[in-house]
Amino acid sequence: MKIYPIDCGNFKLDGGAMFGVVPKTIWQRTNPADENNMIDIATRSYLIEDGDSLILIDTGMGNKQSEKFFGYYFLWGDLDLDNSLKQFGFHRNDITDVFLTHLHFDHVGGAIQWNKDRTGYEPAFKNAKFWSNQDHWNWAVNPNPREKASFLKENILPIEESGQLNFVDIPEDNFNGKTSLGFDLIFVDGHTDKQMLPKINYKDKTIVYAADLIPTAGHVPLVYVMGYDTRPLLTMNEKEKFLEEAVKNNWIIAFEHDAHNHLATLKKTERGIKIDEILSFEDVFED
């Protein structure tokens, strides 16, 4: 197995929204804001090469939305999915599977693109199976008012229409999900219903891609919960269990949305579970 970081682009979000009730005087120590209160956000996917499989975890925003849409998110930098794939010798047509942690636009937008004459949409990965789960799919295609702006039909419905949509099974125990893709799953419901966190065994390490349960290194403390979460108290319960398991089992946490920190180990202190060591991608995924 080989794993590659695929940078799908950077943007900015309001720091207050990203940290909920935590005061700015505290969260800006780890996630500094600009003059408009915006903080740096990444969309960092993982590409897993395992035998004949080439599995992409999440796809970023994509580029099909309007200039007005992207104007809300203050895109910055020159990173994009295609160039990131090319860096490692791959093309999007090589991808065999696209695994979607959940269907918010900044995770699934890159899965769908305009067709050639811009009259409709088509999968951006024509040879891939797309993976979600039935409960989250139903949640996304019948969105609640709070999440409606994040579940964009042009990102979601073309996946089903393509015939490339597949569902993983949902376990009775959210911490023991299985896939046929070579990694296990943790299901969490606080941010959105049945978000899936890949738990990847790599050599002698366990790496958990934390998606929107812990989007940046600054979100490790238990009460640092995003204002975007639909059930923040449930997020805290899920996060507490997750952090305890992470320390107990020496998990390495991969941050999807941290533009400056890739991964971290955790430790238990008298003041709760905190970051032990920030790690680079090369620290963890050496040849």
Side-chain angles (χ1 to χ4, degrees), residues 105-145:
F105 68 85
D106 54 323
H107 298 257
V108 69
I112 298 296
Q113 63 188 9
W114 286 106
N115 60 17
K116 188 174 181 179
D117 57 7
R118 295 181 68 87
T119 58
Y121 301 106
E122 63 185 13
F125 304 90
K126 66 180 183 180
N127 298 317
K129 294 180 179 178
F130 292 85
W131 294 91
S132 183
N133 67 74
Q134 184 71 70
D135 284 6
H136 182 66
W137 185 267
N138 293 343
W139 182 269
V141 298
N142 300 288
N144 60 75

Side-chain angles (χ1 to χ4, degrees), residues 219-271:
H219 287 86
V220 167
L222 180 61
V223 299
Y224 289 33
V225 173
M226 289 190 292
Y228 298 110
D229 287 14
T230 60
R231 307 172 179 123
L233 294 179
L234 179 56
T235 293
M236 286 182 62
N237 290 337
E238 293 171 335
K239 189 174 172 183
E240 183 174 29
K241 181 178 180 180
F242 178 93
L243 292 172
E244 291 286 346
E245 291 289 324
V247 171
K248 177 182 176 182
N249 296 293
N250 298 311
W251 292 349
I252 298 170
I253 309 305
F255 304 116
E256 181 170 9
H257 284 314
D258 196 316
H260 307 290
N261 303 290
H262 275 230
L263 308 105
T265 55
L266 305 177
K267 63 182 177 181
K268 182 173 286 189
T269 74
E270 293 181 355
R271 300 183 64 183

Side-chain angles (χ1 to χ4, degrees), residues 50-251:
D50 192 8
D52 294 332
S53 297
L54 201 59
I55 306 159
L56 183 67
I57 301 175
D58 282 351
T59 67
M61 287 191 192
N63 57 14
K64 67 181 176 298
Q65 304 302 139
S66 68
E67 184 176 344
K68 180 180 179 181
F69 176 89
F70 288 122
Y72 297 133
Y73 298 104
F74 304 92
L75 305 185
W76 60 278
D78 56 2
L79 300 173
D80 66 63
L81 187 150
D82 285 311
N83 283 330
S84 194
L85 286 173
K86 184 178 180 181
Q87 175 187 348
F88 299 110
F90 300 114
H91 185 273
R92 63 176 63 218
N93 291 345
D94 300 325
I95 304 300
T96 61
D97 299 89
V98 175
F99 181 87
L100 300 164
T101 61
H102 59 297
L103 298 171
H104 287 166
F105 68 85
D106 54 323
H107 298 257
V108 69
I112 298 296
Q113 63 188 9
W114 286 106
N115 60 17
K116 188 174 181 179
D117 57 7
R118 295 181 68 87
T119 58
Y121 301 106
E122 63 185 13
F125 304 90
K126 66 180 183 180
N127 298 317
K129 294 180 179 178
F130 292 85
W131 294 91
S132 183
N133 67 74
Q134 184 71 70
D135 284 6
H136 182 66
W137 185 267
N138 293 343
W139 182 269
V141 298
N142 300 288
N144 60 75
R146 184 182 177 93
E147 288 183 276
K148 190 173 183 179
S150 293
F151 290 131
L152 305 180
K153 61 183 180 181
E154 61 267 31
N155 288 336
I156 299 172
L157 297 183
I159 298 176
E160 184 174 36
E161 293 164 359
S162 73
Q164 295 169 237
L165 176 63
N166 295 265
F167 293 133
V168 302
D169 293 331
I170 300 171
E172 291 185 12
D173 177 355
N174 276 355
F175 265 66
N176 287 298
K178 304 291 181 182
T179 72
S180 60
L181 301 174
F183 52 81
D184 295 335
L185 296 174
I186 296 168
F187 287 76
V188 285
D189 299 311
H191 177 62
T192 188
D193 201 60
K194 289 293 178 285
Q195 179 184 195
M196 301 184 287
L197 313 182
K199 186 169 67 170
I200 305 163
N201 292 318
Y202 175 79
K203 298 185 177 180
D204 60 344
K205 307 178 183 78
T206 299
I207 298 94
V208 182
Y209 185 83
D212 279 351
L213 178 67
I214 306 178
T216 77
H219 287 86
V220 167
L222 180 61
V223 299
Y224 289 33
V225 173
M226 289 190 292
Y228 298 110
D229 287 14
T230 60
R231 307 172 179 123
L233 294 179
L234 179 56
T235 293
M236 286 182 62
N237 290 337
E238 293 171 335
K239 189 174 172 183
E240 183 174 29
K241 181 178 180 180
F242 178 93
L243 292 172
E244 291 286 346
E245 291 289 324
V247 171
K248 177 182 176 182
N249 296 293
N250 298 311
W251 292 349

